[in-house]
Amino acid sequence: MGANKEQDAEEKAPKKSNRIFTILTRVVWILFFCAILILPLYVYTVSIDLFGMYGGMPSLKALENPENDLSSELISADGETLGRYFRYNRSQITYDELSPELVNTLLSSEDHRFYDHPGIDFRGLMRAVVGKLTFNYAGGGSTITMQLAENLFNTMTENEGALYNVAGLREIIIKTKEWIIAVQLEQNFTKQEIIAMYFNTVSFGSNSFGIKTAAETYFNKQPSELNYQESAVLVGLLQGTTTFNPVRNYDNSLAKRNQVLGKIARHEHITEAEMDSLRELPIDLEKYSVANQNKGLATYFRTVITRDLLAWCRENDRDLYEDGLKIYTTIDSRMQAYAEEAVASHMAELQKVFIDHLQGRDPWIDDEFKVIPNFAESRFRQSEHYRLLVEKYGQDSDSIMIIAKRPREMKVFSWEGEIDTVMSPLDSVKYYKHFLQTGMMSMDPHTGHIKAWVGGINHKFFKYDHVRQGKRQPGSTFKPFVYGAAIEYGYPPCYEVIDSSPVFKVPDGTWSPPNSDGTYGTGEKMTIRQGMARSVNTITAYLMQQIQPENVVEFAHRVGIESNLDAVPSLSLGVSDVSVFELVGAYSTFANLGLYTEPYYITRIEDKNGNILENFVPKTRQAMSEQNAYKMLYMLRGGVEESGGTSVGLSYDLKADNEIGGKTGTTNNASDGWYIGVTKDLVTGTWVGGDERSIHFRNWALGQGAKTARPIFDLYMQKVYADDSLNYEKGPFPRPSEGIDVSLDCSDYQEEESDSVRTVEPAWDPDAIQ
């Protein structure tokens, strides 16, 4: 009986096992079929955001035309990037602009099966799932395409649905969205386009978004120039822009770079020996530079042009900081560099002369050369710092001046480099007011293209632009407008005038201008060309008296001066404020045979895809005849060619085989030194002076334009002519198409000798001159 029971049990055991197996098999098949049915249904419900449970998905249009904020780029005439305008410093590139080393590095480190999957790497995904379940995580399952989906559409932070608050579901839904978007991206773009889009959308730290900006920031290279060790540093940053930042955490970055190099070798893009060699190299950060408006070329120009660009964007419904505009300018990066070098070289030396001549005295002085009391305190009260202190403590609080006089650590400008020092805010005002400033602009007179713009000595510490924003008395650089008006009234360059100060009737009596040496004339007879060349005040004043101030004002405005001019006798000596920008534009009228071409600096603006949004052309007008304009060029050449001319001191190399016109200018107390130089292809203006008119050399000879401003023109032009790539050559000014209507050779005029004084009888009736 017992044996039978045992036998029955043995027979029932297999049957029971078979039933369990059958049940389990059915369960598995049921789960499998459920998965087959439910998973697509789940994915579908996510894609349509059923009942708002999952949050919205990007539209088909958004997927086909994904956008991200792009910095707008300011581009020089020779194709160099001058600067960017951005909220996030990002610029677009295409796949063709990526080096093969960079692409290989990315794929080796982030997604080596990129070309084998449809946007979702199921092997990588399973590895990630198993790793999480076994607490042996060996990397995520996100592909480059899935990461791009997050970068473009912010799946982790935007469009959250009702189920996002359910524990454990948030991450599943986010990943599902990335899978869906990744597959759709793969259907709409090629693999190469996806790689380029990915590089355009990732952050690399140090205010650099996208590979183009990152390559420029860390290595001053374009993405096409990156090698394996540089690529490994940048791709390593994708794992942590702070943790693996080579500037902040060099050792971490070096270790990550070497790890990435190992992956590159593992996938056989480099050999083991090459890997070992590259791992021995340090990370070269010598050219590391975070973009900002105080660095790079043309810093003042970039600030000035911003106002124009913002106005254009408002009118055209564009965003300067996000739309990825390409702004093409007339600035030539090589000429801009030469201008900045010339300014820095001369101004550093001039500053030494200025400080030495002060002999410890303060530079702010009144008309009687006495130091202005409480000058620094009054200027501090005009500062933003003072305004903030008043807001905090009140207008009459003693705390304001206590803080103003309290020393603190600060970084200050010097010509030897920035200095870390301890100084009170009040003392810093005194310190900075000792520096001489400058403004310089160089322009092609035939096209109106501004080729170089230097608005000051250092944009980081001195924001004020002295090219267009600043206006000062031009002194003798205004005289050519008096002579130009006289030329139009019939006075030829050979017309002779006696060096004797004329008398003007003015509201409070009479006025007679002295010459720069304080005398009222020598009685010497000279041609008006000689008078302008030597900058003789009495000769200019004589012509002003003959043709009247209002006619000079009309002429100056016609050839390019825009500022208000006082129609008074002293205008002949340049008493009305003008800018470097205006003077260069007006002198260019002479160099362009009477055709005024408004100075301009934007040639065209394109959208991020290269479509032209607007072309810009300068305004022009025939301001004077070709013959009279050429006569003015001949007059300006007198400064170089006539004995005693104020441009005779230009370098021999600059003058040799070249026609140059030039005019110096200096105000009475040497507050302002000017020089305008004219060649056949370029007109360049420079101004030098203190931040305020009261800050100047105590010695007029030291502060005159020939000493303060002319050397900048000289240095700049030598650099321009030495650069063969610029195609600026020496040579004569172009002649009028119909010839010259008067002789410029004074010996052609009827001459009479009387008491050893040469007289010239003009070939016209002087009484006919109005």
Side-chain angles (χ1 to χ4, degrees):
M1 190 74 176
N4 289 335
K5 288 182 178 180
E6 289 178 2
Q7 183 177 357
D8 290 341
E10 290 175 358
E11 290 176 354
K12 291 179 179 179
K15 293 180 180 179
K16 185 177 181 180
S17 297
N18 289 337
R19 285 198 303 271
I20 294 173
F21 177 77
T22 300
I23 293 170
L24 290 175
T25 301
R26 289 174 178 173
V27 169
V28 170
W29 277 106
I30 290 171
L31 291 175
F32 175 75
F33 282 115
C34 285
I36 293 295
L37 295 172
I38 294 174
L39 184 60
L41 182 61
Y42 160 70
V43 172
Y44 174 73
T45 60
V46 173
S47 68
I48 66 171
D49 187 25
L50 184 66
F51 305 130
M53 293 187 296
Y54 309 103
M57 293 282 289
S59 66
L60 180 61
K61 181 179 179 180
L63 285 167
E64 291 175 345
N65 299 281
E67 296 184 357
N68 50 280
D69 295 344
L70 296 175
S71 58
S72 294
E73 188 174 8
L74 200 64
I75 303 170
S76 71
D78 54 322
E80 297 295 321
T81 298
L82 295 175
R84 292 193 176 93
Y85 302 94
F86 53 83
R87 292 187 180 91
Y88 305 99
N89 190 12
R90 189 199 318 269
S91 292
Q92 294 272 44
I93 51 89
T94 63
Y95 183 85
D96 293 338
E97 297 174 83
L98 304 172
S99 71
E101 293 86 347
L102 178 61
V103 174
N104 291 338
T105 302
L106 175 69
L107 298 184
S108 297
S109 176
E110 298 296 309
D111 192 353
H112 65 273
R113 286 187 290 273
F114 176 74
Y115 282 101
D116 300 323
H117 62 65
I120 303 173
D121 182 4
F122 291 101
R123 289 173 58 185
L125 183 62
M126 291 305 298
R127 185 190 70 244
V129 171
V130 171
K132 284 206 169 188
L133 292 175
T134 60
F135 303 100
N136 187 27
Y137 188 64
S142 290
T143 62
I144 286 175
T145 317
M146 291 171 63
Q147 293 177 50
L148 174 60
E150 159 58 21
N151 294 341
L152 288 174
F153 302 109
N154 300 315
T155 54
M156 297 184 68
T157 57
E158 294 186 4
N159 298 320
E160 297 184 358
L163 294 179
Y164 269 58
N165 295 321
V166 179
L169 291 184
R170 179 187 180 89
E171 186 174 350
I172 294 173
I173 295 172
I174 288 172
K175 284 300 177 185
T176 305
K177 286 184 175 183
E178 290 179 2
W179 297 339
I180 296 170
I181 297 172
V183 171
Q184 292 174 328
L185 288 172
E186 294 269 352
Q187 292 171 348
N188 283 280
F189 300 97
T190 67
K191 288 286 189 178
Q192 292 182 344
E193 287 173 332
I194 288 172
I195 290 174
M197 291 167 66
Y198 176 78
F199 270 127
N200 284 332
T201 57
V202 288
S203 171
F204 293 89
S206 294
N207 201 28
S208 56
F209 297 80
I211 191 62
K212 178 176 173 63
T213 308
E216 293 171 348
T217 298
Y218 288 97
F219 303 113
N220 193 28
K221 286 186 174 184
Q222 293 303 304
S224 60
E225 301 170 325
L226 293 171
N227 54 37
Y228 273 119
Q229 61 267 31
E230 294 162 343
S231 299
V233 171
L234 296 179
V235 170
L237 277 165
L238 300 176
Q239 303 298 320
T241 56
T242 299
T243 303
F244 301 115
N245 188 295
V247 178
R248 296 183 178 182
N249 295 295
Y250 180 86
D251 291 341
N252 288 353
S253 179
L254 185 66
K256 174 57 72 174
R257 182 203 69 175
N258 291 345
Q259 183 187 82
V260 174
L261 288 171
K263 294 180 179 180
I264 298 171
R266 191 180 312 136
H267 294 286
E268 300 182 347
H269 296 299
I270 58 175
T271 65
E272 293 287 332
E274 288 173 329
M275 177 192 70
D276 292 337
S277 177
L278 292 176
R279 282 179 168 178
E280 292 298 318
L281 297 174
I283 300 175
D284 184 2
L285 296 172
E286 182 178 345
K287 296 182 179 179
Y288 171 82
S289 178
V290 178
N292 66 58
Q293 295 292 35
N294 293 319
K295 292 184 178 180
L297 287 174
T299 49
Y300 288 91
F301 170 75
R302 281 149 46 191
T303 300
V304 170
I305 198 176
T306 300
R307 292 189 287 271
D308 295 330
L309 293 173
L310 288 172
W312 183 90
C313 286
R314 284 193 297 271
E315 293 173 2
N316 293 273
D317 194 25
R318 299 282 176 172
D319 190 326
L320 179 62
Y321 300 99
E322 293 186 0
D323 283 0
L325 303 175
K326 303 291 185 183
I327 302 116
Y328 291 87
T329 73
T330 63
I331 296 292
D332 187 289
S333 68
R334 298 159 294 182
M335 298 172 73
Q336 180 67 32
Y338 296 149
E340 293 182 10
E341 290 168 8
V343 164
S345 174
H346 175 65
M347 292 302 293
E349 292 301 317
L350 186 65
Q351 187 66 35
K352 293 178 183 177
V353 174
F354 184 62
I355 295 300
D356 288 345
H357 109 286
L358 288 175
Q359 297 179 341
R361 297 169 295 186
D362 289 328
W364 40 86
I365 52 180
D366 59 23
D367 292 340
E368 297 179 354
F369 290 86
K370 295 180 180 179
V371 173
I372 299 172
N374 302 315
F375 177 88
E377 288 81 357
S378 66
R379 298 311 181 268
F380 176 72
R381 288 187 173 88
Q382 298 171 6
S383 69
E384 178 67 11
H385 187 192
Y386 178 80
R387 187 187 67 79
L388 294 174
L389 290 175
V390 169
E391 285 185 3
K392 184 175 182 179
Y393 297 105
Q395 183 73 47
D396 301 321
S397 174
D398 294 337
S399 299
I400 295 176
M401 293 313 295
I402 291 174
I403 294 173
K405 295 177 181 179
R406 181 184 298 157
R408 65 181 188 183
E409 292 182 356
M410 63 176 67
K411 191 183 294 288
V412 298
F413 168 79
S414 85
W415 280 111
E416 287 73 37
E418 294 181 8
I419 299 173
D420 291 312
T421 186
V422 175
M423 189 181 294
S424 73
L426 188 58
D427 286 337
S428 73
V429 172
K430 296 178 181 178
Y431 175 78
Y432 282 123
K433 288 296 183 181
H434 279 73
F435 282 95
L436 294 175
Q437 301 294 328
T438 189
M440 174 191 177
M441 186 179 111
S442 186
M443 168 181 161
D444 182 330
H446 310 296
T447 63
H449 289 185
I450 296 172
K451 311 307 294 183
W453 181 306
V454 185
I457 58 174
N458 186 288
H459 187 264
K460 179 178 179 180
F461 294 94
F462 306 96
K463 302 296 186 187
Y464 193 79
D465 172 65
H466 293 283
V467 170
R468 194 172 191 178
Q469 185 180 6
K471 293 185 178 184
R472 299 287 279 263
Q473 290 182 344
S476 294
T477 53
F478 190 84
K479 288 177 179 177
F481 305 119
V482 179
Y483 286 94
I487 291 286
E488 286 197 335
Y489 271 75
Y491 289 87
C494 289
Y495 184 75
E496 288 189 329
V497 177
I498 295 175
D499 176 14
S500 178
S501 184
V503 178
F504 291 86
K505 290 183 179 180
V506 292
D508 55 352
T510 60
W511 176 74
S512 294
N515 286 320
S516 60
D517 60 2
T519 67
Y520 288 83
T522 62
E524 176 188 356
K525 184 178 283 189
M526 64 182 73
T527 66
I528 61 173
R529 185 184 195 236
Q530 292 169 329
M532 192 175 94
R534 301 170 189 172
S535 204
V536 181
N537 292 344
T538 57
I539 305 298
T540 313
Y542 168 81
L543 292 174
M544 175 68 90
Q545 190 176 62
Q546 299 304 304
I547 61 179
Q548 296 301 303
E550 57 269 20
N551 294 317
V552 172
V553 169
E554 188 279 329
F555 175 83
H557 282 155
R558 181 160 27 101
V559 298
I561 298 298
E562 297 177 344
S563 295
N564 292 327
L565 301 173
D566 295 326
V568 295
S570 57
L571 181 63
S572 62
L573 307 185
V575 296
S576 293
D577 289 356
V578 297
S579 67
V580 173
F581 183 91
E582 294 173 89
L583 280 179
V584 172
Y587 272 65
S588 292
T589 301
F590 305 143
N592 199 25
L593 290 176
L595 182 67
Y596 171 71
T597 302
E598 183 181 39
Y600 80 117
Y601 37 68
I602 303 175
T603 56
R604 72 181 186 277
I605 298 178
E606 296 178 356
D607 67 15
K608 65 179 181 181
N609 297 315
N611 300 310
I612 296 177
L613 301 176
E614 186 169 349
N615 283 311
F616 297 85
V617 292
K619 298 176 183 178
T620 62
R621 61 174 177 267
Q622 193 67 43
M624 60 191 303
S625 71
E626 289 188 2
Q627 290 87 353
N628 287 336
Y630 183 76
K631 292 173 200 172
M632 281 307 303
L633 289 176
Y634 181 70
M635 294 282 288
L636 287 165
R637 283 167 50 195
V640 178
E641 299 168 359
E642 293 281 357
S643 174
T646 58
S647 295
V648 170
L650 288 172
S651 300
Y652 173 79
D653 289 342
L654 195 60
K655 296 184 291 184
D657 303 317
N658 201 16
E659 286 187 353
I660 300 177
K663 189 70 196 76
T664 57
T666 314
T667 50
N668 281 342
N669 57 7
S671 291
D672 307 280
W674 294 81
Y675 190 76
I676 311 294
V678 183
T679 66
K680 67 184 182 68
D681 296 315
L682 288 173
V683 176
T684 304
T686 56
W687 166 87
V688 173
D691 240 351
E692 303 187 38
R693 300 175 203 265
S694 61
I695 299 171
H696 54 80
F697 280 96
R698 292 168 177 260
N699 184 317
W700 188 91
L702 290 175
Q704 63 178 300
K707 296 285 184 67
T708 62
R710 191 181 69 193
I712 296 175
F713 167 80
D714 199 321
L715 290 169
Y716 166 71
M717 288 304 302
Q718 289 187 61
K719 292 173 182 289
V720 168
Y721 282 137
D723 189 340
D724 293 336
S725 70
L726 291 172
N727 296 319
Y728 284 104
E729 298 178 350
K730 298 178 179 180
F733 290 107
R735 268 51 177 174
S737 58
E738 298 181 1
I740 305 168
D741 55 1
V742 297
S743 174
L744 300 179
D745 183 352
C746 295
S747 64
D748 290 345
Y749 291 85
Q750 179 183 350
E751 297 185 15
E752 297 179 359
E753 295 294 333
S754 176
D755 298 327
S756 300
V757 176
R758 186 170 70 90
T759 61
V760 179
E761 295 296 335
W764 70 96
D765 181 3
D767 294 333
I769 299 174
Q770 301 298 318

